[in-house]
Amino acid sequence: KEEDILWRTDYDFFTKEVADFFGKHDRIAIDAGKPSTNEELIKYAEDGHEDLFETIKTPMFDKNNSLIGVLGIARDISGRKKVDEELRISEEKLELIFSQSLDGFFFMMIDEPVIWDETANKDKVIDYVFSHQRITKINDAMLLQYAAKREQFLGNTPNDLFAHDIDYGKKVWKEFFDKGQLHIDTNERKMDGSQMWIEGDYICIYDSKKRITGHFGIQREITERKRMEETLIQSENRYS
């Protein structure tokens, strides 16, 4: 009730530590002569529970420019902080999975989003993507696949990755963009130019306008498996 609050001080509602904290920030606002914003963890004297508030303290002056008090506006942000902390923990877990996976994880983002529908000139779009989609994040497992250093690989475009066969690369990209996600084996090259086979799963990333902004991929090298399959086929053909 209003009568329970009027003419009482911070010390009537909060612990001395919190009330002193309030007074300190009141003085900061007064000294600055303008609003001061900060976060305050409030512990209530009545039952000891805590809430986090975002507060704005504004010094109030009369017509003679004499200080008459401090206006305080408080907003409970305890729930938001809890969500932020849960999000931070989730992001840390995802980063741990990303960095420590034995499969190659990566993001490739396009400089500008592209439209990919029946209205698009898809050949022109692919030409743009092959020059303007870049590796922006990779893990150590993927660097190992390509025998590359991070500084060598970040920023690479599809033109770089499929320099050995641009037409083949564009065919793969068109199929991928048409489907939005793709599981495929691709014939690729390590940084030293040696051949390797990659088995990958890829998914397009879209913005709110359904434009493609890039993609995320998970891949593993299967060169040895391909060689064994080829040897088996040759053996079967020899005895057939």
Side-chain angles (χ1 to χ4, degrees):
K1 295 180 181 180
E2 184 175 333
E3 58 266 27
D4 294 331
I5 299 175
L6 290 176
W7 305 111
R8 299 181 70 179
T9 71
D10 290 336
Y11 292 94
D12 294 318
F13 299 102
F14 308 105
T15 64
K16 181 179 183 304
E17 180 183 6
V18 171
D20 287 345
F21 181 83
F22 287 169
K24 174 184 175 182
H25 282 276
D26 287 349
R27 289 189 293 275
I28 290 174
I30 292 170
D31 291 343
K34 60 182 181 180
S36 173
T37 303
N38 59 280
E39 293 182 0
E40 300 175 351
L41 182 63
I42 298 175
K43 185 174 183 178
Y44 293 86
E46 182 179 356
D47 59 9
H49 85 274
E50 295 181 340
D51 287 319
L52 185 65
F53 285 83
E54 179 182 68
T55 63
I56 302 175
K57 302 291 184 68
T58 304
M60 304 295 293
F61 302 92
D62 63 16
K63 62 182 180 180
N64 297 317
N65 204 35
S66 297
L67 181 71
I68 58 175
V70 175
L71 172 66
I73 301 174
R75 182 162 60 101
D76 189 344
I77 59 172
S78 304
R80 190 191 77 190
K81 278 292 183 179
K82 181 180 179 182
V83 171
D84 289 346
E85 179 63 14
E86 290 174 349
L87 180 60
R88 182 189 66 79
I89 293 173
S90 295
E91 288 176 345
E92 287 180 353
K93 290 179 179 178
L94 288 173
E95 182 61 32
L96 189 65
I97 294 171
F98 187 97
S99 63
Q100 296 191 5
S101 172
L102 296 179
D103 286 334
F105 282 22
F106 71 95
F107 286 92
M108 286 190 79
M109 305 306 293
I110 309 171
D111 291 345
E112 296 291 338
V114 298
I115 296 172
W116 190 266
D117 58 23
E118 65 280 356
T119 68
N121 182 332
K122 294 187 175 182
D123 287 335
K124 186 175 180 179
V125 172
I126 287 295
D127 286 342
Y128 173 80
V129 167
F130 260 56
S131 298
H132 293 85
Q133 186 174 8
R134 310 174 194 280
I135 296 281
T136 55
K137 187 177 179 64
I138 48 175
N139 67 356
D140 290 342
M142 186 164 173
L143 292 174
L144 186 62
Q145 290 171 7
Y146 287 85
K149 294 181 179 179
R150 193 172 301 274
E151 58 270 21
Q152 288 178 298
F153 212 67
L154 285 174
N156 274 2
T157 66
N159 274 333
D160 298 316
L161 298 176
F162 286 91
H164 60 286
D165 194 338
I166 293 293
D167 289 340
Y168 168 68
K170 288 182 176 180
K171 180 181 177 182
V172 171
W173 241 258
K174 283 183 179 179
E175 181 183 2
F176 174 35
F177 279 10
D178 281 341
K179 294 180 177 178
Q181 58 184 16
L182 188 65
H183 175 89
I184 192 172
D185 296 349
T186 50
N187 182 0
E188 302 195 24
R189 297 294 183 270
K190 295 179 181 289
M191 291 298 289
D192 63 7
S194 58
Q195 183 188 33
M196 69 171 174
W197 280 92
I198 290 293
E199 177 187 24
D201 292 277
Y202 310 99
I203 184 166
C204 286
I205 300 171
Y206 299 90
D207 66 10
S208 60
K209 297 180 180 179
K210 303 300 183 183
R211 299 175 300 180
I212 299 176
T213 61
H215 75 268
F216 170 67
I218 303 174
Q219 61 182 48
R220 59 212 62 84
E221 184 179 355
I222 57 168
T223 305
E224 190 58 34
R225 191 184 82 189
K226 285 288 187 179
R227 287 173 181 165
M228 292 177 64
E229 290 174 353
E230 181 63 26
T231 299
L232 180 60
I233 292 172
Q234 291 175 358
S235 176
E236 291 175 345
N237 289 339
R238 193 160 41 242
Y239 292 102
S240 62

